[in-house]
């Protein structure tokens, strides 16, 4: 399909009504057509400074609003996101290629964070505690950390924003979101909806830019911006963590993963295969919690490979705008090349392609099943971020637990067994922030999401997520002596 200039809608920033200070824009590319589908302001450091000032000004008022008021606004935002689900899903699908049905699912997942934190805003508690002095009264209370800078990824353009913005606003913080260069449209819609329901000026702002380092530099140097929250690669996370140190920001980092999926000998093969499909092929494998290594007990490996091969061959690859599509394109050329290189490297070192294995033209890659995968292959060391399922065999529990933990990452891990002891004992031994037992899709708004080791710091979601936006203040009151 050829895109004409008329199809390319020019978006503006609500926070900078006249467009970016230098009036530059950049094009958003639809991965399915590899043509521009929109253009957005390419903001500069001067724009970032304006947004930081607005965020700081708004914080002065927002932090003093009542939790009940913030709760009501968040509830309205939730309702607006739900009513705009199709519009947001279309934006997601055109800017990063997620199949439209799955994109609607992401919008509902994203809305869940607005709903949860609308409720959670009212449930922030403090503590009183005893003093050794009769006349002293001691208590600890929670206060918002201050203006927040949020850097969000392209793979979940809606959910990774609401998972940060909803708890920040609920806690009384203001937020500036810099969405990934590839996926600014969803962010702009979410900000527009917040304004439509009465979200005050400066409380939630979006800044788009094709030069993230220039923009981010402004926020890192600004002492008034009190927190960084980032979802993305470990490599970039380490860089941003270092830069945050200069102004001692609070930091939350949701970074890369390399999830093992262990299938024990007693597994229900058909159900295990279903969970692996849900886990591995979600968002065409472009998910931090997707399994990247499937360990299957040698006694059942042939049966599991058959069950997976049937399902993978049946996946419908195609235009993300079609309701029936299950696997869309990869986000960009770089993403496609990595997937291709991982498969070529594995095959070159002795892996066997059971299904797929080839690029399909454009940014599409065949859903792929590899067996005879072995240590030393790149696919076992780096995140593939694509629709490739590598299978390894194991014999003993100790051996598979050691292999599963032998990675710098620690985000999510999965296991399938019918044995209660194995389920609990192995789950306890896995060095991961999230464990799915017979469950390949554990993410939900009310649960803690986050990793250990090089997978990051802090937790998002549930009662844990809002604590990342709160400081503890100790108050000591000395009464007049009796
Ligand atoms: C991610 O890939 O970072 C998010 C996945 C999820 O929330 O389940």
């Amino acid at each position: 399909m050829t895109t004409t200039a008329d199809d390319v809608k020019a978006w503006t920033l609500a926070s900078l009504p006249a467009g970016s200070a230098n009036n530059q824009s950049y094009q958003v590319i639809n991965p399915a057509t590899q043509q521009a589908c929109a253009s957005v302001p390419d903001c500069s450091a001067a724009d970032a400074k304006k947004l930081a000032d607005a965020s700081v000004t708004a914080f002065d008022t927002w932090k003093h609003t009542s939790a009940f008021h913030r709760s009501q606004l968040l509830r309205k935002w939730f309702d607006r996101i739900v009513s705009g689900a199709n519009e947001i899903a279309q934006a997601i699908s055109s800017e990063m290629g997620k199949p439209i049905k799955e994109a609607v699912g992401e919008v509902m997942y994203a809305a869940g964070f607005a709903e949860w934190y609308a409720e959670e805003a009212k449930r922030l508690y403090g503590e009183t505690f005893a003093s050794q002095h009769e006349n002293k009264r001691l208590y600890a209370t929670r206060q918002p950390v201050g203006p927040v800078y949020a850097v969000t990824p392209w793979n979940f353009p809606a959910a990774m924003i609401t998972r940060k913005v909803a708890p920040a606003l609920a806690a009384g913080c203001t937020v500036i979101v810099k969405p990934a260069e590839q996926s600014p449209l969803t962010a702009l819609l979410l900000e527009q909806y917040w304004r439509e329901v009465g979200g005050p000026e400066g409380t939630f702002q979006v800044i788009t830019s094709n030069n993230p380092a220039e923009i981010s530099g402004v926020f890192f140097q600004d002492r008034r911006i009190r927190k960084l929250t980032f979802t993305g690669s470990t490599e970039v996370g380490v860089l941003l963590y270092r830069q945050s140190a200069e102004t001692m920001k609070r930091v939350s980092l949701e970074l890369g993963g390399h999830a093992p999926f262990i299938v024990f000998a007693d597994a229900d093969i058909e159900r295990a295969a279903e969970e692996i499909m849900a886990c591995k092929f979600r968002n065409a494998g472009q998910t931090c919690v997707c399994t990247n290594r499937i360990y299957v007990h040698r006694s059942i490996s042939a049966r599991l490979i058959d069950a997976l091969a049937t399902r993978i061959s049946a996946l419908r690859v195609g235009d993300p705008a079609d309701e029936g599509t299950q696997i869309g394109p990869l986000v960009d050329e770089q993403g496609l090349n990595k997937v291709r290189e991982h498969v070529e490297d594995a095959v070159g070192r002795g892996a066997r392609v059971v299904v797929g294995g080839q690029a399909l033209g454009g940014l599409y890659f065949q859903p792929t099943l590899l067996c005879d995968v072995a240590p030393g292959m790149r696919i076992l060391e780096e995140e593939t971020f694509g629709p490739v399922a590598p299978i390894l065999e194991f014999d003993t529990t100790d051996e598979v637990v050691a292999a599963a933990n032998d990675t710098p990452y620690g985000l999510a891990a999965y296991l399938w067994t019918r044995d209660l002891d194995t389920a609990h004992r192995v789950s306890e031994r896995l060095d991961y922030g999230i464990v799915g037992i017979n469950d390949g899709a554990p993410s939900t708004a009310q649960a803690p999401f986050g990793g250990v080791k090089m997978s990051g710091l802090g937790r998002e979601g549930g009662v844990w997520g809002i604590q990342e936006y709160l400081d503890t203040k100790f108050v000591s009151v000395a009464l007049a002596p009796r």
Side-chain angles (χ1 to χ4, degrees):
M1 187 186 104
T2 313
T3 309
T4 66
D6 292 345
D7 299 327
V8 180
K9 181 183 165 196
W11 294 59
T12 52
L13 289 191
S15 341
L16 297 166
S20 68
N22 54 10
N23 275 322
Q24 299 294 307
S25 60
Y26 76 93
Q27 294 197 319
V28 181
I29 306 298
N30 179 337
T33 59
Q34 294 182 272
Q35 302 289 327
C37 62
S39 73
V40 294
D42 188 7
C43 292
S44 62
D47 301 317
K49 175 80 173 64
K50 275 191 208 151
L51 264 65
D53 291 345
S55 198
V56 170
T57 304
F59 179 61
D60 260 348
T61 312
W62 185 244
K63 70 181 173 193
H64 293 304
T65 55
S66 77
F68 281 70
H69 174 70
R70 298 197 293 270
S71 165
Q72 280 161 7
L73 276 178
L74 280 165
R75 177 69 212 191
K76 288 185 187 161
W77 193 40
F78 161 73
D79 289 336
R80 183 64 187 91
I81 294 171
V82 172
S83 71
N86 289 333
E87 185 181 31
I88 303 180
Q90 271 159 22
I92 293 176
S93 196
S94 56
E95 66 190 347
M96 55 70 68
K98 187 169 294 193
I100 192 71
K101 219 166 144 190
E102 202 178 336
V104 172
E106 181 191 334
V107 179
M108 300 320 287
Y109 176 42
F113 291 100
E115 182 184 39
W116 174 268
Y117 287 108
E119 293 156 2
E120 209 56 19
K122 297 179 283 184
R123 315 209 197 295
L124 295 177
Y125 305 106
E127 301 93 10
T128 61
F129 45 99
S131 164
Q132 56 276 59
H133 305 287
E134 180 285 324
N135 69 321
K136 283 205 180 183
R137 304 292 178 267
L138 311 182
Y139 64 92
T141 182
R142 307 279 182 273
Q143 297 202 325
V145 296
V148 174
Y149 179 46
V151 181
T152 58
W154 52 263
N155 64 339
F156 286 83
M160 296 306 100
I161 290 180
T162 55
R163 190 154 81 183
K164 297 176 189 313
V165 171
L169 292 171
C173 297
T174 52
V175 205
I176 300 163
V177 171
K178 199 217 64 68
E181 298 81 273
Q182 295 94 331
S183 61
L185 307 182
T186 303
L188 292 170
L189 279 176
L190 288 171
E191 185 201 6
Q192 178 195 315
Y193 289 2
W194 174 248
R195 286 172 182 264
E196 280 174 22
V197 300
E201 193 69 35
T203 47
F204 166 28
Q205 307 174 93
V206 170
I207 184 160
T208 55
S209 175
N210 212 10
N211 184 356
E214 179 187 341
I215 298 300
S216 290
V218 171
F219 300 116
F220 286 118
Q221 283 155 26
D222 192 331
R223 282 209 184 92
R224 302 170 303 167
I225 305 296
R226 294 305 320 133
K227 179 174 170 77
L228 163 75
T229 171
F230 169 69
T231 295
S233 71
T234 295
E235 194 189 1
V236 176
V238 168
L239 202 71
L240 302 191
Y241 193 12
R242 217 175 267 143
Q243 290 179 13
S244 301
E246 291 292 323
T247 46
M248 204 54 80
K249 298 192 197 309
R250 283 273 296 272
V251 173
S252 304
L253 302 169
E254 302 296 345
L255 308 179
H258 204 282
F261 197 122
I262 307 172
V263 186
F264 286 94
D266 65 341
D268 176 329
I269 305 269
E270 296 303 315
R271 283 183 56 201
E274 285 300 322
E275 294 301 324
I276 290 170
M277 294 299 293
C279 183
K280 175 69 251 183
F281 293 98
R282 180 176 171 214
N283 200 19
Q286 302 170 109
T287 305
C288 303
V289 290
C290 272
T291 175
N292 229 62
R293 296 171 280 155
I294 301 159
Y295 294 97
V296 56
H297 193 269
R298 199 175 303 280
S299 61
I300 57 162
S301 69
R303 285 163 56 215
L304 185 73
I305 289 168
D306 277 356
L308 286 174
T310 307
R311 287 167 172 82
I312 294 171
S313 312
L315 284 172
R316 287 189 297 272
V317 182
D319 182 351
D322 288 347
E323 285 283 330
T325 295
Q326 292 169 298
I327 302 285
L330 293 160
V331 71
D332 54 23
E333 202 75 41
Q334 205 185 335
L336 176 72
N337 287 342
K338 189 167 189 195
V339 174
R340 195 197 333 247
E341 285 165 21
H342 278 198
V343 171
E344 282 171 6
D345 172 78
V347 171
R349 292 170 194 266
R352 186 164 56 84
V353 175
V354 183
V355 178
Q358 299 295 324
L360 286 167
L363 295 175
Y364 288 90
F365 199 90
Q366 286 180 316
T368 296
L369 181 62
L370 296 178
C371 65
D372 301 334
V373 173
M377 297 179 181
R378 276 183 69 189
I379 202 162
L380 294 186
E381 279 154 22
E382 300 164 25
E383 267 191 301
T384 305
F385 244 55
V388 183
I391 304 266
L392 298 100
E393 294 178 347
F394 72 91
D395 295 300
T396 70
T397 301
D398 284 349
E399 170 202 341
V400 77
V401 169
N405 286 336
D406 186 17
T407 167
Y409 298 106
L411 185 55
Y414 307 87
L415 59 103
W416 226 106
T417 178
R418 282 188 266 213
D419 182 80
L420 199 57
D421 283 349
T422 307
H424 285 282
R425 297 243 182 250
V426 172
S427 155
E428 287 163 11
R429 291 173 67 190
L430 289 169
D431 300 333
Y432 288 84
I434 301 166
V435 175
I437 299 176
N438 301 354
D439 183 0
S443 302
T444 181
Q446 68 274 26
F449 187 101
V452 298
K453 304 198 295 190
M454 296 304 279
S455 289
L457 294 174
R459 293 293 178 271
E460 293 187 320
V463 295
W464 304 269
I466 199 165
Q467 296 303 329
E468 304 280 337
Y469 298 93
L470 293 166
D471 281 329
T472 300
K473 179 178 277 179
F474 163 45
V475 181
S476 175
V477 187
L479 306 179
R482 264 182 210 275

